[in-house]
Amino acid sequence: MVNELPVGRRVAQWRVRRNMTQQQFADRLGRSKSWVDKVERGVRRLERVSSLREVADALRIDLGVLLTDQPGRPDPAAAGVEGVRNALSRYHVEAPSGPVDVAEVRARLAHAEQTYRHARYPQLLALLPGLLDAARAARAVRPDRATAGLLVAGYALAALALVKVDHGELAWLAADRAMALAQATGDPQVAAVATVSLAQALRHVDRRRAATEAAVVAVHRLRSARSGVAADPSLLGTLLLQAALAAAGRGLARDARQLLDQAAELARDVVAGDGGFGPAAVEAARVVAETALGDVTVATARHERLTAGGGWRWLPTEHRAAYLLDAARAYVLAGDMRRAGRALLDAERTARSEVHDRPAVRDLVAVVARPADAPTDLARLAAALHVT
């Protein structure tokens, strides 16, 4: 957590600790006493990392000490991950003696899904062990398609959360549990829900070919189902986007763009479907795909057009924040650190946990915050993540 004490006040505290008057400190910096006074009172902000480093050097402290007082960065997701791991390790669930309130389990699942959409990962990981146990207990009492669907959705949600906190192999295990149970139901819609999380987990552990194949097979089975009910376009579109991103990661430009075009056709009649699928989600996926394919000029131009419009605001909080991190990576590849930094800070403002609780983001922050003229807010973020 970043200390809430203003930087100017912190400068004043450290100056006093170093037994320096404002004039002595100003002389050491080559500044005026008035400049020091304004900084300490917060009238003048230190806008550049280079200025912050000069001040920190003059105070003989590390830049991170000036910006944050945390001696180390605890992992808020660690306990939650261990809880999910333990829940996945419980192979035998005793059926409760009394009736199970399936509606209550469904309500808990809906709450957990909303927690994910708002990118509250430590809170979600804390919810998941109890949710999984409750869904398994319901399944033990009522082994029907409804309880199977609840448990599949619980496993799938656990996989998505574990991907976020960089536990790819454990995410794959959770997604595999969802897939095995979904296939046993014989319901292609339930299997498709499981496949979304499976594809994400497989992409995370660099098994992109398997991710593509799983998503494409799920699309085919949904479209071929003889249930008399039209396939959900949001679910179909989400699977196509997963397949496209996996194909782009393999360098298969033609396949990726064809899959994206199919998703775009489905999105034409969708304003904002479940999980945020719609035209904006397709455009965001095109940016990520073009970046993976190496065409960062096209990717960044698409990104500017997308965020200039209002449609992308329909995406869930988690989706927008995660996408902004992808946009930041595209700008880094394009050599535009200023816009990369802006995207990073926008991601943090959109969903703090998306930046602070995802280990993979730290390397990105370290690269973007490195230039001497990086904004102060980036230096503050780097210090909070302990990547200075």
Side-chain angles (χ1 to χ4, degrees):
M1 178 178 174
V2 179
N3 194 291
E4 295 180 359
L5 192 67
V7 171
R9 291 279 303 282
R10 174 125 345 156
V11 170
Q13 286 184 351
W14 277 100
R15 175 183 58 76
V16 171
R17 287 185 194 180
R18 296 303 188 215
N19 248 343
M20 285 188 282
T21 65
Q22 284 190 338
Q23 186 61 60
Q24 289 170 329
F25 186 44
D27 291 343
R28 178 171 288 194
L29 285 169
R31 303 275 188 172
S32 67
K33 180 176 179 289
S34 172
W35 185 90
V36 171
D37 180 64
K38 288 177 180 177
V39 166
E40 293 185 349
R41 288 189 295 112
V43 175
R44 175 187 285 274
R45 290 189 61 195
L46 297 172
E47 299 286 353
R48 301 288 183 187
V49 172
S50 54
S51 299
L52 282 165
R53 285 181 178 141
E54 286 176 14
V55 169
D57 289 344
L59 293 169
R60 303 192 303 280
I61 59 174
D62 184 76
L63 176 59
V65 175
L66 185 63
L67 294 173
T68 177
D69 66 351
Q70 293 293 327
R73 185 177 189 277
D75 182 359
V81 170
E82 192 58 29
V84 175
R85 189 191 306 276
N86 291 337
L88 293 172
S89 300
R90 289 192 278 275
Y91 288 90
H92 304 289
V93 176
E94 294 290 334
S97 55
V100 171
D101 189 344
V102 176
E104 190 265 342
V105 178
R106 187 174 290 109
R108 289 172 68 176
L109 174 64
H111 173 60
E113 289 173 337
Q114 280 298 106
T115 304
Y116 177 81
R117 291 191 182 106
H118 286 89
R120 297 168 185 155
Y121 304 128
Q123 296 93 319
L124 173 58
L125 289 164
L127 292 172
L128 282 168
L131 172 62
L132 291 174
D133 286 346
R136 292 172 69 188
R139 175 78 177 149
V141 172
R142 281 180 44 184
D144 56 19
R145 187 166 294 184
T147 56
L150 288 175
L151 186 52
V152 166
Y155 281 138
L157 186 59
L160 295 177
L162 290 164
V163 165
K164 290 290 187 180
V165 294
D166 205 22
H167 284 265
E169 294 296 333
L170 194 58
W172 188 4
L173 172 62
D176 183 69
R177 292 275 180 86
M179 199 68 191
L181 180 56
Q183 289 180 327
T185 69
D187 186 332
Q189 176 121 343
V190 174
V193 170
T195 304
V196 172
S197 63
L198 177 65
Q200 288 216 34
L202 289 170
R203 285 172 51 215
H204 190 74
V205 295
D206 292 329
R207 296 181 179 271
R208 296 184 180 90
R209 179 174 180 176
T212 306
E213 291 173 351
V216 169
V217 166
V219 167
H220 175 72
R221 288 179 176 169
L222 264 183
R223 284 174 165 165
S224 303
R226 297 181 179 178
S227 61
V229 179
D232 178 3
S234 293
L235 186 53
L236 277 172
T238 300
L239 286 165
L240 287 166
L241 294 185
Q242 286 295 322
L245 293 174
R250 296 168 61 200
L252 303 177
R254 182 179 176 183
D255 290 352
R257 288 166 183 149
Q258 285 179 346
L259 289 162
L260 286 164
D261 288 344
Q262 290 180 46
E265 288 180 16
L266 288 169
R268 286 172 186 165
D269 299 323
V270 177
V271 177
D274 291 339
F277 178 76
V282 176
E283 282 305 301
R286 287 192 192 276
V287 172
V288 179
E290 294 296 347
T291 302
L293 293 168
D295 202 339
V296 292
T297 301
V298 170
T300 53
R302 279 188 176 277
H303 167 70
E304 295 291 339
R305 289 197 299 271
L306 172 60
T307 53
W312 91 294
R313 295 287 175 184
W314 287 98
L315 294 174
T317 301
E318 169 274 327
H319 196 153
R320 277 186 286 125
Y323 166 72
L324 285 166
L325 294 177
D326 288 323
R329 293 185 183 95
Y331 280 125
V332 168
L333 292 173
D336 190 339
M337 294 300 176
R338 183 179 65 83
R339 284 190 170 90
R342 186 180 67 188
L344 253 177
L345 294 171
D346 284 347
E348 186 193 28
R349 282 188 286 269
T350 301
R352 186 181 185 279
S353 188
E354 192 72 32
V355 174
H356 287 258
D357 297 322
R358 295 188 62 185
V361 175
R362 292 170 201 166
D363 288 343
L364 177 62
V365 172
V367 170
V368 177
R370 189 173 298 147
D373 62 347
T376 301
D377 283 348
L378 271 178
R380 182 266 312 159
L381 175 59
L385 296 180
H386 292 269
V387 295
T388 53

